[in-house]
Amino acid sequence: MAVELRGITKRFGSFAAVKGVNLQIRAGKVLGLLGENGAGKSTLMNVLCGLYAQTEGEILIDGKPVRFNGPGEAIRAGIGMVHQHFMLIPVFTVAENVVLGVEPTGRFDHLDLDQARAQVREINDSYGLEVDPDALIETLPVGVQQRVEIIKVLFRSADLVIFDEPTAVLTPQEVVEFFEIVRSLRDSGKAIVFITHKLGEIREISDHIAVLRRGEIVGHADHPDAVSEADLAEMMVGRPVSFDVEKNPHKPGAPLLEVADLTVLNENDDIAVDDVSMIVRSGEIVGIAGVQGNGQSALVEALTGLTRVAGGTVLFKGRDITRASARDRHRMGFAHIPEDRQRTGLIPAFTIAENMVLDSYYDDRFSRGPTMLWRVVNQAAAQAVQDFDVRAGSIFDAVSTLSGGNQQKVIVARELSRDTEFLIASQPTRGLDVGSIEYIHSRIAQARDEGDGVLIVSSELDEILALSDRILVMFKGKIVAEFDGATADKSEVGLAMAGRYEGAAA
Amino acid sequence: MNDEPKPAEGLSEAFLKRAAPDRAAMEDLIVVPFFAVVVALLLGALAMLATNVDLATVGRSYVALLVGSVGSFNAISETLTAAIPLTLAGLGIALGFRAGMFNIGAEGQLLIGGMAAVIAGFSFAGLPAVVHVPLVLLVGAMAGGLYAAIAGWLRAATGAHEVITTIMLNLISYRLVDYMLRLDFIQREGRSDPISKSVLGSAELPRILTWLDPNLRLHAGVFLMIAAVIFIHWLLFRTRLGFEFRASGESPDAARYAGMRAGLIIVLAMGMAGALSGLAGANQVSGVLGRASPGFSAGIGFDAIAVALLGRSHPWGVLLAGLLFGALEAGGRQMQVDAGVSIDLISIIQALIIVFIAAPLLVRRLFPWGFRKPAPVAKE
């Protein structure tokens, strides 16, 4: 199946999210659609899969113009989309989720699950997906859930499969497996559209790359190998982008945070952090690498005073803070950029100003007696918005109206605009565009140059390698390896993340 | 890259500009409640027609509703008198909503607060009114607050959901009041039915319109109501505690990460909500009833939930909603007298208002004019 978009424009009110886009999507080829958050990638694909009607332009399938009234018609035309946020029912099995809405039924509306299972197996076998049709969705890891979404699309006989930021939720190993699946789909003749803002991935998987910026196609690349990541980044952002984080040479100071034999249990009383010892000095960035779910979240919660410690001690500047509350630590100069900005880092319905003081409202600067000094808060928030380049119209806008990158900048501004001594940043750039990542990395490096101790937890190995002075690898709740940030080898760290590092732990 | 923070004089004033509330917000705040009331009245008329009330009587009853709520000094006095406890308890519910607590227990808190206020009201003979009245109100508020704090504590300590616990505490409060009304030191001398002694004259909230007409029942509780609205508005939007309440209500996880103490906030929010309901109870026994009898709460605690919903959990909205519900109650009594239509119809109309408030989309669909067509929201 060949799909052609001709002069597609989509306006919301006076705002054009997509402007005159021409695209060719061919069978047996992977089209990589690259663009920053807000560039119009998802809007464009939502037009293609029938969720939005285009304001101008036409869609041609095999040369014939088509117009979809709703996603149902697009699906019948053979266009399927795997959304970034999965649409699965957790308490249903794989087979039940796959047939949802198009259930094979026998007499008297009897649900023929046997047939559903057989069809799931058939799709499994043809593309090497290896999903148990009888497994409950809630018991499956994210990577397998994604395969269920793929099976759903294939079950509805899609010839064009659109993946919207598919690797955002995957671990490095899962990404490798996912690319295998994409290749087998392509080789069987499906047309694939791969939406992403990750430069390395798009070069690896695409046969053809189109770059979208502010709703317009600003560049093409027919031979992904022939363009460099820097060229792609420049096309995407509209200016040269630096991948290296500028920072002063590593000059560690006195030990700031000393963790000894720390053990933390999760809510099921299983060991999440197992006897971890480490030191973070002032003026250095320690990166904790690891595949998600190896105890990093529990470690961060324990170090920030959000969860109880089962054993071991935490010293801060020589003082025992093992049982200090989150507020106490905040007073001591802890800054925390939490892993989940929507759920724990921000209150989306609150204004930017309110979010700017979410954890420092108690401070004498912002309150007197029982009352808040909103005038002072607003001034400080406006200053922080300006200093940290948050793109917002007003500090009284709700944070939910900002893009992900700007939301993260609000958190970074809140945490770093006061006098800090120790910064814990968990997945600080997850899901952000290149421009925002560059900016947030520079701010973290700046905090370290000013003498803060910094602990970065990230499942993005590139991020750890770019920022860290020292790298610790966490696997199954333990620190299994330590590397020097300047000399660490990516594949060795990757092996350690998988629990297979044989070298001597430094 | 590492640019220094810009000096303060370079601060762009644009960030400090407050955008005017957009049209959708205004529609939600004003147009939806307005239509909800209109539709509820229309459906109320249909309900009457369907039960063989002729059109003339329907017309008469709505005229009586209007006259009985705002048509005379007496009507306005009755409307305000009915609005006071509804607004006070409604503020309590609204405060709970803001802090993320669904407090169904206003009725019980009101009963316990009223009961404690009655005891304080008939004890302490000889106190001057300037001391006795505040004492009675304070005792009522504290009793209601402590009673509600039980549910708050259960939630904070064990995770027991406040909807369940407050409903159970309501049931306990009914029987507790019945039991207490037969205790020797509470029951009125010479009576065998459960009824309390009357509060002393010095413990009664003074009537404030008797200079106009000695029969006007409006009492000083109306000032208490206004003061409570102002206080809660200040608390929610101007204080640290209010910020903590609102943060916990919007996102308990984010509040916890920000170092707020969730358990304490829950107990405090429930306690303050209960204190407002207790105050409503004290207001009733001290300003209107003069004594306690079984079920003297008369469902005010449940109507208050509707008031808080209609008022969108905003203190001034709660005041307006309380006044509307007070007017419906006062007018409903007139309606019963003039047109012979049961006051139950008023309950139906109140319930319908809430149905439409809770379903703004339904109202938008029924009345497409008055609303702008919802623009599709850009995703990404």
Side-chain angles (χ1 to χ4, degrees):
Chain A
M1 175 161 96
V3 177
E4 188 180 352
L5 303 181
R6 269 194 206 156
I8 297 286
T9 297
K10 173 68 191 169
R11 285 198 189 88
F12 297 100
S14 60
F15 171 69
V18 173
K19 281 175 270 187
V21 166
N22 298 310
L23 268 186
Q24 299 268 357
I25 305 164
R26 294 182 206 92
K29 297 281 179 203
V30 177
L31 169 69
L33 191 57
L34 184 70
E36 292 205 280
N37 293 332
K41 296 170 302 203
S42 295
T43 306
L44 182 62
M45 287 304 122
N46 282 337
V47 168
L48 182 54
C49 72
L51 280 167
Y52 295 150
Q54 68 267 34
T55 319
E56 285 162 30
E58 54 182 357
I59 301 170
L60 294 97
I61 294 182
D62 293 330
K64 282 190 286 289
V66 290
R67 199 165 178 99
F68 303 131
N69 293 310
E73 289 184 20
I75 290 169
R76 276 191 288 282
I79 296 173
M81 182 146 172
V82 174
H83 293 270
Q84 192 174 355
H85 302 285
F86 301 154
M87 298 172 183
L88 299 169
I89 300 177
V91 296
F92 276 18
T93 65
V94 169
E96 283 167 338
N97 268 289
V98 167
V99 298
L100 200 64
V102 287
E103 300 89 348
T105 48
R107 264 198 301 176
F108 304 116
D109 209 33
H110 166 74
L111 181 58
D112 193 351
L113 271 180
D114 288 332
Q115 198 195 327
R117 268 188 220 106
Q119 280 169 297
V120 169
R121 282 209 187 86
E122 200 178 292
I123 295 170
N124 258 336
D125 294 342
S126 15
Y127 301 100
L129 291 171
E130 294 167 30
V131 180
D132 173 11
D134 293 315
L136 286 181
I137 294 295
E138 58 189 359
T139 64
L140 297 175
V142 176
V144 181
Q145 291 189 17
Q146 185 173 55
R147 288 187 222 162
V148 178
E149 285 283 5
I150 298 172
I151 296 175
K152 264 170 77 176
V153 167
L154 297 175
F155 185 79
R156 286 157 181 75
S157 336
D159 291 313
L160 166 62
V161 185
I162 305 167
F163 292 100
D164 188 4
E165 300 278 357
T167 58
V169 291
L170 301 182
T171 62
Q173 283 92 332
E174 284 175 329
V175 171
V176 174
E177 291 165 20
F178 170 73
F179 281 173
E180 286 307 312
I181 295 168
V182 172
R183 287 193 189 98
S184 80
L185 288 174
R186 177 195 64 192
D187 295 344
S188 74
K190 307 280 184 199
I192 310 276
V193 179
F194 183 87
I195 305 176
T196 190
H197 61 259
K198 293 190 183 168
L199 304 164
E201 289 175 359
I202 203 158
R203 285 179 67 233
E204 181 177 346
I205 194 72
S206 309
D207 300 305
H208 177 96
I209 297 174
V211 185
L212 203 60
R213 186 171 81 228
R214 296 200 182 150
E216 290 174 281
I217 298 282
V218 292
H220 287 277
D222 274 323
H223 302 284
D225 297 329
V227 289
S228 70
E229 290 193 14
D231 291 342
L232 285 174
E234 189 172 341
M235 270 195 249
M236 176 163 85
V237 184
R239 60 178 170 82
V241 177
S242 106
F243 290 101
D244 299 320
V245 182
E246 274 180 44
K247 56 183 187 191
N248 298 338
H250 183 202
K251 270 184 292 185
L256 203 57
L257 188 84
E258 295 166 80
V259 179
D261 312 322
L262 186 73
T263 300
V264 184
L265 305 179
N266 66 15
E267 56 265 36
N268 305 325
D269 281 345
D270 296 325
I271 290 178
V273 176
D274 191 356
D275 206 20
V276 162
S277 300
M278 63 181 185
I279 291 178
V280 182
R281 295 184 177 80
S282 75
E284 76 170 346
I285 299 178
V286 175
I288 297 206
V291 178
Q292 256 200 301
N294 276 290
Q296 300 98 317
S297 305
L299 177 68
V300 168
E301 287 214 337
L303 294 182
T304 48
L306 290 162
T307 197
R308 212 181 288 245
V309 167
T313 54
V314 181
L315 301 184
F316 182 66
K317 296 206 281 189
R319 186 174 145 205
D320 188 346
I321 59 159
T322 315
R323 312 228 169 270
S325 70
R327 177 62 48 83
D328 290 338
R329 292 176 207 226
H330 188 265
R331 281 204 177 91
M332 291 175 208
F334 270 57
H336 179 200
I337 299 173
E339 166 178 353
D340 186 339
R341 60 177 163 272
Q342 305 266 7
R343 195 174 63 82
T344 54
L346 295 167
I347 298 184
F350 273 18
T351 64
I352 295 172
E354 286 172 317
N355 274 292
M356 279 288 184
V357 293
L358 197 59
D359 56 7
S360 53
Y361 65 96
Y362 69 87
D363 194 280
D364 288 340
R365 277 189 303 154
F366 299 130
S367 59
R368 183 179 302 140
T371 50
M372 294 290 300
L373 302 172
W374 284 116
R375 206 178 290 268
V376 182
V377 170
N378 293 342
Q379 286 287 339
Q383 187 71 54
V385 161
Q386 188 168 324
D387 290 347
F388 286 79
D389 193 29
V390 179
R391 306 280 163 82
S394 155
I395 56 163
F396 301 108
D397 292 347
V399 152
S400 57
T401 63
L402 301 180
S403 71
N406 282 307
Q407 290 183 355
Q408 192 72 358
K409 282 184 193 171
V410 169
I411 297 180
V412 172
R414 176 180 77 210
E415 297 300 324
L416 295 183
S417 60
R418 58 192 191 101
D419 212 6
T420 54
E421 298 211 37
F422 183 64
L423 167 66
I424 299 184
S426 207
Q427 316 289 358
T429 59
R430 178 190 283 169
L432 301 188
D433 54 87
V434 174
S436 302
I437 291 174
E438 190 185 13
Y439 184 79
I440 285 167
H441 281 177
S442 78
R443 279 290 177 171
I444 291 172
Q446 190 184 337
R448 166 240 195 225
D449 289 347
E450 287 165 3
D452 283 20
V454 180
L455 189 69
I456 305 278
V457 176
S458 177
S459 49
E460 296 274 349
L461 192 46
D462 290 332
E463 174 161 57
I464 293 281
L465 290 167
L467 278 173
S468 310
D469 298 313
R470 279 194 297 130
I471 298 170
L472 304 176
V473 182
M474 209 163 167
F475 179 72
K476 290 194 175 164
K478 289 179 187 293
I479 302 286
V480 293
E482 176 167 350
F483 298 90
D484 184 280
T487 59
D489 178 80
K490 188 173 178 178
S491 60
E492 279 188 0
V493 181
L495 275 178
M497 284 168 72
R500 293 198 295 262
Y501 182 62
E502 301 294 332
Chain B
M1 207 56 246
N2 302 341
D3 47 354
E4 290 296 310
K6 293 167 190 83
E9 57 263 31
L11 180 60
S12 162
E13 289 296 317
F15 293 129
L16 284 165
K17 290 228 171 66
R18 216 178 263 272
D22 66 336
R23 192 168 158 155
M26 295 299 283
E27 283 174 354
D28 248 23
L29 226 55
I30 293 164
V31 185
V32 168
F34 176 76
F35 276 115
V37 171
V38 171
V39 183
L41 288 171
L42 283 174
L43 285 180
L46 284 179
M48 283 194 271
L49 288 174
T51 49
N52 272 340
V53 179
D54 60 87
L55 202 57
T57 315
V58 173
R60 255 207 332 277
S61 47
Y62 277 162
V63 170
L65 185 65
L66 195 67
V67 171
S69 53
V70 290
S72 64
F73 278 125
N74 185 56
I76 292 172
S77 162
E78 286 302 301
T79 291
L80 288 173
T81 308
I84 296 166
L86 286 168
T87 304
L88 285 173
L91 283 173
I93 306 269
L95 185 72
F97 283 153
R98 288 279 181 173
M101 306 288 289
F102 206 91
N103 172 16
I104 309 289
E107 185 82 353
Q109 294 142 22
L110 196 146
L111 276 171
I112 297 295
M115 202 63 215
V118 161
I119 296 170
F122 65 65
S123 315
F124 309 115
L127 276 184
V130 283
V131 180
H132 206 175
V133 171
L135 178 76
V136 165
L137 296 174
L138 190 69
V139 166
M142 281 183 52
L146 288 174
Y147 198 62
I150 297 174
W153 176 78
L154 286 172
R155 167 75 186 274
T158 70
H161 200 279
E162 73 277 3
V163 168
I164 310 288
T165 53
T166 52
I167 288 174
M168 294 304 134
L169 285 168
N170 280 346
L171 296 177
I172 293 171
S173 72
Y174 299 152
R175 299 291 88 84
L176 194 63
V177 165
D178 289 355
Y179 169 74
M180 287 172 78
L181 287 174
R182 287 181 187 279
L183 293 176
D184 279 345
F185 85 101
I186 291 175
Q187 195 173 20
R188 183 173 301 183
E189 295 88 343
R191 294 287 288 264
S192 57
D193 53 335
I195 193 155
S196 79
K197 293 173 188 164
S198 291
V199 301
L200 298 166
S202 60
E204 281 180 9
L205 279 161
R207 300 198 170 172
I208 55 172
L209 291 181
T210 43
W211 52 276
L212 266 175
D213 176 345
N215 289 326
L216 295 182
R217 295 203 297 166
L218 185 64
H219 54 82
V222 72
F223 302 122
L224 191 66
M225 168 176 85
I226 309 259
V229 170
I230 294 170
F231 174 74
I232 295 300
H233 187 271
W234 174 79
L235 177 82
L236 276 176
F237 301 110
R238 294 278 173 270
T239 70
R240 279 162 55 169
L241 187 63
F243 187 64
E244 291 175 332
F245 281 175
R246 289 188 293 123
S248 311
E250 283 287 348
S251 171
D253 287 318
R256 190 170 69 88
Y257 267 61
M260 300 178 189
R261 288 201 281 170
L264 186 70
I265 289 168
I266 287 171
V267 175
L268 275 180
M270 277 305 278
M272 296 188 79
L276 283 160
S277 298
L279 203 55
N283 172 83
Q284 284 307 86
V285 297
S286 161
V288 180
L289 305 167
R291 58 188 165 73
S293 53
F296 68 87
S297 52
I300 291 168
F302 294 117
D303 290 344
I305 299 174
V307 168
L309 286 172
L310 181 58
R312 295 295 162 95
S313 299
H314 192 285
W316 295 100
V318 169
L319 177 63
L320 291 180
L323 289 173
L324 176 69
F325 271 51
L328 285 172
E329 194 181 315
R333 273 176 264 159
Q334 185 78 29
M335 196 166 105
Q336 193 164 22
V337 175
D338 282 10
V341 174
S342 164
I343 198 160
D344 292 334
L345 186 73
I346 291 299
S347 305
I348 294 176
I349 290 173
Q350 288 179 343
L352 285 170
I353 292 176
I354 296 309
V355 168
F356 288 112
I357 287 292
L361 286 176
L362 181 65
V363 174
R364 280 170 193 270
R365 189 60 66 84
L366 284 172
F367 300 95
W369 63 90
F371 295 103
R372 204 164 41 173
K373 271 193 101 165
V377 183
K379 271 175 70 175
E380 241 191 353

